[in-house]
Amino acid sequence: METLTINVPNEHARRLLEELQALGVLSIQAVAQVVPRPPATFNAISVSTKGFKFNRDEANER
């Protein structure tokens, strides 16, 4: 037994393959195509630090 992957360009070719399957010459198994996902996007955020006071001693205690 040999496994082949083919692209069926039109309906005529599909019917021909289905007729061959009906004769028992081959078997057709549908396989889902893997569709690549688009790359993940990252939306940056901006945080205002106006009025923020940094206490170095308090931070070092942690």
Side-chain angles (χ1 to χ4, degrees):
M1 180 175 185
E2 185 177 359
T3 301
L4 302 172
T5 302
I6 62 167
N7 292 321
V8 182
N10 56 40
E11 191 60 32
H12 178 72
R14 179 178 300 280
R15 282 194 305 264
L16 180 62
L17 290 171
E18 289 171 349
E19 289 175 12
L20 290 173
Q21 182 180 17
L23 292 172
V25 176
L26 57 83
S27 64
I28 299 173
Q29 296 176 352
V31 177
Q33 293 182 353
V34 177
V35 178
R37 293 188 304 173
T41 58
F42 178 75
N43 294 326
I45 61 170
S46 176
V47 178
S48 175
T49 57
K50 186 175 182 180
F52 178 76
K53 295 182 182 179
F54 181 76
N55 186 335
R56 186 177 309 276
D57 293 328
E58 182 183 336
N60 287 334
E61 289 177 5
R62 294 183 200 166

